[in-house]
């Protein structure tokens, strides 16, 4: 039994080491190659350390050629406006579904679930046509409209929080003459703060890392975001990998910082929303 226990413990540590290697290896490659000059990158292996970590030319080149300051500004505007609309829409939908019984409630919930089954690529032609008809193509409004929509996970988390809010609070407010909107805004919405904090973090990371929607709906160069800025260093036949690695490293920093600082809110919000009363 003792030998079996030692073997199992050793196997667990080996699996953990392999998993850690898989997670850490890609950032390591990006980090070491971000400090290499073009000539050094071509003459050395992708895993070797650079001659000097004091070479900041790649980072300066990224900001100058990819206009990273403008890309960060565009990304910031899209994230802020999308989050405001997404939170308002998501909390309102969850409040209506979670607090009231009405005909067609099951159909609405079923529609949200069914929408997750449909492959996104099958609806892109229709979505692209709608964006063009609305004259939103090549504007910041195109991704904002697409990001505002609340998904089923968001609705589910909000609904679990709403179920834990006593209905007596609504009844007391109704007796005092409060309207449904006032109940939502003054009572329900503030109590959804933990769930909102969690979803804001997850949605921010999702928008920040998304490449497909900005690339498809905002091809104009001045509308570039951080995810599409990397493509300025990739051509049809070749790519400037030293600049690409530097750009990836720059883009990774805000995401890593936000996640490390706010990870406890992500875990607490998701687990709290999963607990039923």
């Amino acid at each position: 039994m003792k030998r079996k226990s030692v073997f199992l413990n050793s196997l667990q540590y080996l699996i953990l080491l392999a998993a850690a290697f898989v997670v850490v290896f890609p950032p390591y490659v990006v980090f070491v190659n971000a400090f290499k000059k073009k000539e050094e990158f071509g003459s050395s292996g992708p895993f070797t350390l650079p001659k000097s970590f004091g070479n900041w030319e790649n980072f300066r080149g990224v900001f100058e050629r990819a206009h990273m300051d403008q890309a960060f500004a565009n990304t910031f505007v899209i994230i802020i406006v999308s989050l405001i609309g997404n939170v308002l829409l998501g909390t309102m939908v969850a409040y209506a579904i979670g607090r009231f019984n009405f005909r067609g409630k099951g159909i609405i919930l079923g529609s949200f679930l069914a929408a997750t089954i449909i492959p996104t690529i099958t609806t892109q032609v229709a979505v692209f046509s709608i964006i063009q008809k609305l004259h939103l193509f090549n504007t910041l409004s195109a991704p904002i409209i697409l990001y505002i929509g609340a998904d089923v996970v968001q609705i589910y988390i909000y609904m679990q929080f709403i179920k834990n809010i006593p209905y007596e609070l609504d009844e007391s407010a109704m007796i005092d003459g409060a309207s449904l909107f006032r109940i939502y805004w003054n009572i329900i919405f503030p109590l959804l703060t933990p769930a909102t904090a969690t979803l804001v973090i997850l949605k921010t990371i999702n928008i920040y890392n998304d490449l497909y929607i900005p690339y498809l709906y905002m091809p104009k160069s001045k509308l570039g975001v951080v995810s599409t800025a990397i493509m300025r260093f990739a051509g049809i036949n070749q790519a400037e990998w030293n600049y690409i690695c530097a750009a990836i490293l720059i883009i990774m920093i805000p995401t890593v910082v936000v996640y490390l600082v706010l990870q406890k809110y992500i875990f607490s919000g998701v687990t709290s929303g999963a607990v039923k009363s």
Side-chain angles (χ1 to χ4, degrees):
M1 291 295 295
K2 187 176 181 180
R3 289 183 177 179
K4 186 177 180 180
S5 177
V6 171
F7 173 76
L8 290 176
N9 289 334
S10 301
L11 182 61
Q12 289 176 354
Y13 282 114
L14 286 175
I15 294 173
L16 289 174
L17 286 173
F21 176 79
V22 171
V23 172
V24 174
F25 183 70
Y28 165 79
V29 174
V30 170
F31 181 78
V32 297
N33 287 285
F35 293 91
K36 294 180 181 179
K37 296 182 179 180
K38 186 176 182 179
E39 298 78 11
E40 183 183 357
F41 183 87
S43 60
S44 63
F47 313 126
T48 58
L49 295 174
K51 295 179 180 178
S52 173
F53 283 101
N55 176 32
W56 298 94
E57 291 298 324
N58 292 339
F59 299 95
R60 281 193 287 266
V62 167
F63 272 93
E64 292 173 1
R65 293 173 54 185
H67 306 290
M68 289 298 291
D69 52 345
Q70 188 178 51
F72 274 109
N74 291 337
T75 305
F76 180 77
V77 171
I78 292 173
I79 288 175
I80 294 300
V81 178
S82 299
L83 288 179
I84 293 173
N86 182 262
V87 169
L88 290 176
L89 182 62
T91 51
M92 287 181 179
V93 172
Y95 173 59
I97 296 176
R99 265 305 196 247
F100 307 107
N101 292 317
F102 54 89
R103 184 178 298 177
K105 177 178 177 179
I107 296 176
I108 294 175
L109 286 173
S111 299
F112 273 105
L113 292 172
T116 62
I117 302 174
I118 301 173
T120 306
I121 193 65
T122 61
T123 61
Q124 285 308 305
V125 174
V127 173
F128 190 85
S129 300
I130 293 172
I131 294 296
Q132 280 193 318
K133 292 293 184 181
L134 294 174
H135 304 288
L136 299 179
F137 182 71
N138 255 334
T139 67
L140 292 177
S141 301
I144 289 173
I145 290 294
L146 297 176
Y147 290 138
I148 280 179
D151 56 40
V152 66
V153 176
Q154 179 180 359
I155 299 299
Y156 176 79
I157 292 176
Y158 275 135
M159 286 180 60
Q160 297 310 308
F161 271 83
I162 290 174
K163 288 180 180 179
N164 293 326
I165 299 174
Y167 189 72
E168 288 76 11
L169 295 176
D170 299 44
E171 294 176 339
S172 299
M174 289 179 185
I175 294 174
D176 293 336
S179 63
L180 292 177
F181 180 80
R182 187 171 182 182
I183 294 172
Y184 155 76
W185 186 253
N186 291 339
I187 298 176
I188 303 298
F189 187 76
L191 293 176
L192 294 177
T193 300
T196 299
T198 302
L199 293 168
V200 163
I201 296 167
L202 296 176
K203 193 75 174 179
T204 298
I205 295 175
N206 181 51
I207 296 174
Y208 186 83
N209 292 330
D210 186 29
L211 170 67
Y212 182 76
I213 290 178
Y215 177 72
L216 181 62
Y217 295 99
M218 298 191 306
K220 191 181 295 184
S221 59
K222 69 176 183 179
L223 296 177
V225 294
V226 292
S227 58
T228 58
I230 303 176
M231 302 184 68
R232 296 177 184 267
F233 304 105
I236 299 176
N237 299 318
Q238 62 178 357
E240 300 176 274
W241 287 105
N242 55 321
Y243 284 110
I244 291 176
C245 290
I248 292 174
L249 194 60
I250 293 172
I251 294 171
M252 283 174 55
I253 293 173
T255 306
V256 173
V257 171
V258 168
Y259 183 79
L260 291 177
V261 173
L262 303 177
Q263 62 177 329
K264 62 179 180 180
Y265 298 104
I266 298 177
F267 298 137
S268 63
V270 172
T271 53
S272 297
V275 176
K276 295 184 178 181
S277 59

